[in-house]
Amino acid sequence: MKLSLALVMTFCAQTVWADILVPTRTIRPKEVISIEDLGYKNAEVAGALKDLNAIVGKEARIALYAGRPIHAGDIGPPAIIERNDLVSLTFHRGGLRISTEGRSLGRGAAGETVRVMNLSSRTTISGRITADGSVEVN
């Protein structure tokens, strides 16, 4: 009986173990992850992050437990606006620019959408957070 080379390779293939990054302590949600919080573990976990630069400086979205793998959905950019922060609201259209002050009704990072209450009109609107911490309304 003749077995094909591909079939033999499929049965003989072994799982490749690689170093993945894991927390060395429990990291609570909203904490920014530093290099001291991470260590390596020799394991193969689908979707686990292995690049130090992809994790350091990010914010934990959920609790990260010591020794458990970190996945891309578990972390994100750190929030620059917190709930109840006073923020600058700006509207741009053509040559028109309107600015006013608002109060954030949520928290978020640059590029995310957040709900904000316009303090002048008490109207709730949504806008995109910019890198400088203001909210751009369309």
Side-chain angles (χ1 to χ4, degrees):
M1 184 161 113
K2 240 181 178 179
L3 293 176
S4 72
L5 182 59
L7 186 59
V8 171
M9 289 179 66
T10 303
F11 286 119
C12 296
Q14 296 179 353
T15 302
V16 177
W17 292 77
D19 286 337
I20 60 170
L21 287 163
V22 295
T24 56
R25 65 174 185 87
T26 298
I27 301 171
R28 295 175 184 249
K30 301 180 186 177
E31 278 189 61
V32 176
I33 302 168
S34 69
I35 197 164
E36 294 83 21
D37 296 329
L38 300 172
Y40 285 100
K41 181 178 182 179
N42 193 7
E44 181 61 31
V45 178
L49 297 176
K50 300 173 184 176
D51 182 19
L52 192 63
N53 294 326
I55 301 174
V56 173
K58 301 289 178 144
E59 179 181 273
R61 301 238 186 244
I62 61 169
L64 303 173
Y65 297 103
R68 294 194 184 166
I70 301 171
H71 296 86
D74 300 342
I75 59 174
I80 56 176
I81 292 180
E82 295 291 332
R83 181 175 166 78
N84 289 326
D85 280 354
L86 293 177
V87 296
S88 174
L89 296 172
T90 57
F91 173 81
H92 299 277
R93 176 89 28 105
L96 177 67
R97 177 186 164 102
I98 301 171
S99 295
T100 189
E101 194 172 53
R103 182 171 302 278
S104 173
L105 300 177
R107 64 185 308 272
E112 294 181 342
T113 301
V114 67
R115 289 182 9 168
V116 179
M117 182 176 62
N118 180 331
L119 294 179
S120 300
S121 66
R122 302 286 184 205
T123 303
T124 300
I125 54 178
S126 293
R128 188 180 57 81
I129 301 171
T130 61
D132 65 358
S134 63
V135 176
E136 191 173 80
V137 181
N138 291 328

